[in-house]
């Protein structure tokens, strides 16, 4: 172990993992939350590039907060917001498979509202690019259309995505 001012670097991943597992869950959660807080202070392109890591830290933070439901709820909402930012940034970088993974996570996240879930499903359907993913894209668009309360523009995007996927699979 080498110590910096506020940083510990481990020479071996097993040693790092062992030290991590010795920490109480509340400490793990707080450290992941602090990492996300720090990354959220970045601006511009650096903030966009950090969005997937912010979402990952918040996901890990919420994982260790079983005994603190109010705080877990706040962290889970932050995670959804960060995951949406991550998915959008990844899609803008043409990293559609990575974006798809975030959209699918948001669509099934208990802290995401119905409109966020519908938007995530539509975006996931739109990100379905390889031919093997078109059937998945159509299914995701259909799930988005089934969510009550989705705004008309979002429903229109879902219909468009379903139509494109149907044409690409020869069903349209």
């Amino acid at each position: 172990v080498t110590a910096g001012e506020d940083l510990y670097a481990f020479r071996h991943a097993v040693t790092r993992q062992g030290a991590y597992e010795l920490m109480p869950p509340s400490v793990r959660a707080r450290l992941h939350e602090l990492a996300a807080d720090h990354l959220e202070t970045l601006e511009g392109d650096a903030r966009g590039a950090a969005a997937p890591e912010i979402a990952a830290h918040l996901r890990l933070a919420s994982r260790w907060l079983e005994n603190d439901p109010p705080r877990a709820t706040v962290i889970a909402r932050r995670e959804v917001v960060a995951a949406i930012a991550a998915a959008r940034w990844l899609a803008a970088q043409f990293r559609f498979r990575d974006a798809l993974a975030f959209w699918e996570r948001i669509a099934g996240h208990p802290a995401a509202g119905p409109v966020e879930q519908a938007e995530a499903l539509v975006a996931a359907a739109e990100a379905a690019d390889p031919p093997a993913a078109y059937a998945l894209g159509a299914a995701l668009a259909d799930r988005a259309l089934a969510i009550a309360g989705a705004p008309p523009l979002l429903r229109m995007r879902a219909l468009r995505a379903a139509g494109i996927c149907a044409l690409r699979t020869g069903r349209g």
Side-chain angles (χ1 to χ4, degrees):
V1 176
T2 59
E5 291 179 26
D6 293 324
L7 173 73
Y8 289 96
F10 294 92
R11 296 184 200 277
H12 198 283
V14 174
T15 306
R16 184 190 70 227
Q17 187 62 27
Y20 181 77
E21 290 177 8
L22 288 173
M23 289 182 209
S26 61
V27 172
R28 292 184 209 178
R30 185 64 187 139
L31 290 173
H32 283 294
E33 187 178 4
L34 287 170
D37 290 346
H38 172 71
L39 291 169
E40 286 177 332
T41 65
L42 298 173
E43 295 180 8
D45 290 341
R47 172 69 185 268
E53 194 171 344
I54 294 168
H57 277 294
L58 291 171
R59 184 175 194 171
L60 289 168
S62 65
R63 175 178 166 191
W64 299 113
L65 290 172
E66 295 172 350
N67 296 329
D68 191 353
R71 189 162 155 229
T73 300
V74 170
I75 297 294
R77 270 306 305 157
R78 284 182 63 197
E79 179 195 344
V80 168
V81 171
I84 290 169
R88 288 179 176 157
W89 185 83
L90 290 163
Q93 303 303 310
F94 303 102
R95 294 175 52 190
F96 297 116
R97 287 184 188 193
D98 294 332
L100 180 62
F102 275 97
W103 288 126
E104 288 179 321
R105 186 180 311 157
I106 296 160
H109 201 292
V115 173
E116 290 169 321
Q117 290 176 334
E119 181 180 348
L121 289 165
V122 170
E126 291 171 342
D129 190 34
Y134 295 150
L136 170 66
L140 292 169
D142 289 344
R143 281 180 50 202
L145 288 168
I147 293 177
L153 184 59
L154 192 55
R155 293 183 58 76
M156 191 169 56
R157 280 182 51 209
L159 287 168
R160 178 182 168 274
I164 289 170
C165 290
L167 285 172
R168 290 178 177 166
T169 57
R171 295 183 332 185

